Amino acid sequence: MRRLLECLRPHVDEVVLAVNAADTTDTLAVCGDLADRRLRYQLPGSPSALIGWVQSQCSGEWLLRLDDDEAPSVEMLASLRELIADRRLNEIVFRRRWLYPDPGRYITRAPWRFDFQARLLRNLPAVWSFAGTPHTVGRPVPGRRLIDVPFYHADLVLSSLESRSRKSLDYEAEAPALIWNEFPVNGMYLPEGLDNVDTAIVPEADRPLVDLIVGPGEAPASPGGGPPVRDVPFTEVEQFNVRRTLPESAYRASVTFVDRPLSMPAAALQHFEVLVTNTGTERWPGGDRTNPLVQLGVRWRQPESGRIVRDIRQPFSEIVDPGETTRVVICVPTPFDPGPHHLEIGVVHLDVRWFEGRIATEVAIEPRREDAVTWGVPSVDHFRARELEERVARLEEENAGLRSELASVPRSAPA
């Protein structure tokens, strides 16, 4: 690891070194003088769970991520400055070559030859989304470019067949039945099971870089120094993975009106402002595509019956960490019927539950002036008709799907 960091240090402005707490090689001490941040994490499962967290620890505009069994190529190092100068790009995807059966060769047959990895990316945590499971490397972001520039993966020559067999089984348990062109993805760690494996020679210019991680040589002594080591619990790491289950302590929020609405016109779109504070223990990712889907919920209720007449969801526009407050301008349709209504606002985990800390206020829904249509504002009847048309369209679509499903069910004559 030290040899690899010595190679990379001239090309980067910051090194964040994260090491498993189970490490017995004293890596944090041996590499301390080459790192700007030293982190020690707990990891009960796949290293894929680390990606979102470790990337979020970096302060640079661009991030280059490598594991301890990977080495750059000469071409990769030479291309870094040119790639990050292109303002159109947010993510660069390199070709990863699997070394096998020795450090001087790499596999050229599928699926190994199609292993493209996004390893150089702009530091934009708001657009990242990581499942945290094996072989998931994050949702692609706009401005993504695949390039035929390699780096090298040495797991097949550094690890024994026995340890790779265990890894393959563990990954299969976490991420079962992953197939690429009829080939089991978790079987990529066991090329010995194939009758033949096509390989090519590692270019001579890249051999010194490969030798950084697989070459002989005794481990260097610790030079001492370096930034302090921060121990990170897995609960912090897991907050950056969308697959996680939120604990009970996460479901707390605080909502306050900036200007409490007292009255609104019926059947209209109305805007008002609230401040929402995350008083729980888990981050809200923001947006409407990244799990956990935590959004603002708005409900209109009739005060006498308690019946919900409007139920709206609005995504947050930014990441909200525990203790942070976000400002939201809410746009909601008001009830059709005039009279007092209860307006409820809170945070909701979609299809799961509401958070603690909802607020409610009574709003007077005023009758609409019918002459408002002369100013280009649709009448109440227009809104009612549009809602009914949308409901009819949804029902027709559902019925068409059911009829198609029914027609495909085989039937037999009764006995």
Side-chain angles (χ1 to χ4, degrees):
M1 194 68 209
R2 181 172 181 87
R3 290 196 296 260
L4 179 60
L5 289 182
E6 287 174 338
C7 165
L8 294 171
R9 186 78 245 199
H11 298 272
V12 301
D13 302 306
E14 177 189 47
V15 170
V16 175
L17 177 61
V19 176
N20 196 321
D23 174 62
T24 59
T25 62
D26 210 21
T27 304
L28 284 170
V30 169
C31 302
D33 61 314
L34 296 172
D36 298 284
R37 297 192 66 197
R38 292 190 294 173
L39 307 169
R40 184 163 46 211
Y41 58 82
Q42 302 283 342
L43 184 65
S46 163
S48 299
L50 297 168
I51 298 175
W53 164 75
V54 74
Q55 289 182 177
S56 297
Q57 307 307 306
C58 304
S59 63
E61 183 182 353
W62 281 84
L63 312 179
L64 174 67
R65 179 173 58 84
L66 289 171
D67 295 336
D68 59 359
D69 60 358
E70 295 172 340
S73 66
V74 170
E75 189 178 5
M76 182 189 204
L77 293 177
S79 66
L80 295 178
R81 294 296 172 183
E82 180 181 354
L83 289 169
I84 67 174
D86 192 333
R87 296 177 60 192
R88 301 170 300 170
L89 300 180
N90 291 318
E91 189 172 70
I92 314 299
V93 187
F94 298 93
R95 189 189 297 275
R96 184 165 68 168
R97 291 175 174 172
W98 292 59
L99 298 173
Y100 183 83
D102 56 64
R105 305 188 72 88
Y106 62 92
I107 302 176
T108 58
R109 66 162 289 174
W112 291 270
R113 69 183 295 255
F114 294 106
D115 184 11
F116 281 94
Q117 296 273 327
R119 294 305 184 86
L120 181 65
L121 65 162
R122 201 180 293 273
N123 196 347
L124 299 172
V127 302
W128 295 340
S129 176
F130 297 96
T133 54
H135 314 304
T136 57
V137 292
R139 185 178 65 208
V141 300
R144 174 185 174 97
R145 177 181 292 174
L146 275 70
I147 59 176
D148 192 18
V149 172
F151 68 107
Y152 296 93
H153 186 209
D155 191 23
L156 302 182
V157 296
L158 287 174
S159 303
S160 67
L161 176 60
E162 180 183 3
S163 65
R164 287 188 277 115
S165 297
R166 288 197 302 269
K167 176 188 286 189
S168 179
L169 291 173
D170 290 343
Y171 281 5
E172 187 65 23
E174 282 195 67
L178 293 179
I179 302 296
W180 192 93
N181 280 12
E182 303 301 314
F183 191 95
V185 172
N186 292 314
M188 292 175 67
Y189 295 95
L190 303 169
E192 291 88 347
L194 300 176
D195 293 334
N196 57 34
V197 180
D198 299 327
T199 63
I201 297 174
V202 173
E204 195 64 30
D206 289 340
R207 281 305 303 268
L209 293 170
V210 169
D211 287 341
L212 293 174
I213 57 172
V214 301
E218 294 190 12
S222 171
V229 176
R230 184 169 78 89
D231 285 291
V232 180
F234 183 67
T235 52
E236 178 181 328
V237 172
E238 187 73 334
Q239 286 204 30
F240 295 85
N241 296 322
V242 300
R243 65 167 183 170
R244 71 187 189 277
T245 300
L246 297 186
E248 181 67 27
S249 59
Y251 291 101
R252 295 196 293 264
S254 171
V255 184
T256 56
F257 288 109
V258 174
D259 292 304
R260 187 170 70 87
L262 300 177
S263 65
M264 296 182 185
L269 286 177
Q270 292 290 289
H271 297 77
F272 55 93
E273 202 176 332
V274 295
L275 296 175
V276 186
T277 302
N278 182 349
T279 58
T281 58
E282 297 274 330
R283 62 169 22 202
W284 306 339
D288 58 359
R289 296 181 58 199
T290 302
N291 287 321
L293 291 173
V294 177
Q295 299 181 4
L296 198 64
V298 182
R299 284 177 170 174
W300 288 102
R301 286 185 186 271
Q302 287 185 335
E304 296 86 3
S305 65
R307 183 171 65 88
I308 297 172
V309 295
R310 293 276 193 176
D311 196 357
I312 304 102
R313 304 288 181 266
Q314 180 166 322
F316 293 107
S317 62
E318 62 175 334
I319 295 171
V320 187
D321 281 318
E324 291 185 341
T325 297
T326 184
R327 185 180 299 269
V328 183
V329 174
I330 301 177
C331 175
V332 294
T334 60
F336 292 115
D337 299 320
H341 283 75
H342 288 156
L343 174 64
E344 299 177 358
I345 305 174
V347 179
V348 61
H349 185 181
L350 266 62
D351 301 322
V352 179
R353 56 170 286 183
W354 286 75
F355 285 49
E356 297 176 9
R358 279 180 285 178
I359 60 173
T361 188
E362 185 172 290
V363 179
I365 302 300
E366 305 288 350
R368 287 179 61 94
R369 290 171 47 199
E370 290 306 318
D371 61 351
V373 72
T374 61
W375 294 93
V377 179
S379 65
V380 173
D381 290 336
H382 169 82
F383 281 99
R384 289 185 186 277
R386 188 173 67 178
E387 182 186 40
L388 291 173
E389 288 171 356
E390 291 174 351
R391 289 175 59 188
V392 168
R394 287 197 300 269
L395 290 172
E396 289 177 345
E397 184 178 350
E398 291 174 5
N399 287 337
L402 290 173
R403 283 193 292 268
S404 176
E405 184 178 348
L406 178 62
S408 66
V409 176
R411 302 191 184 192
S412 58

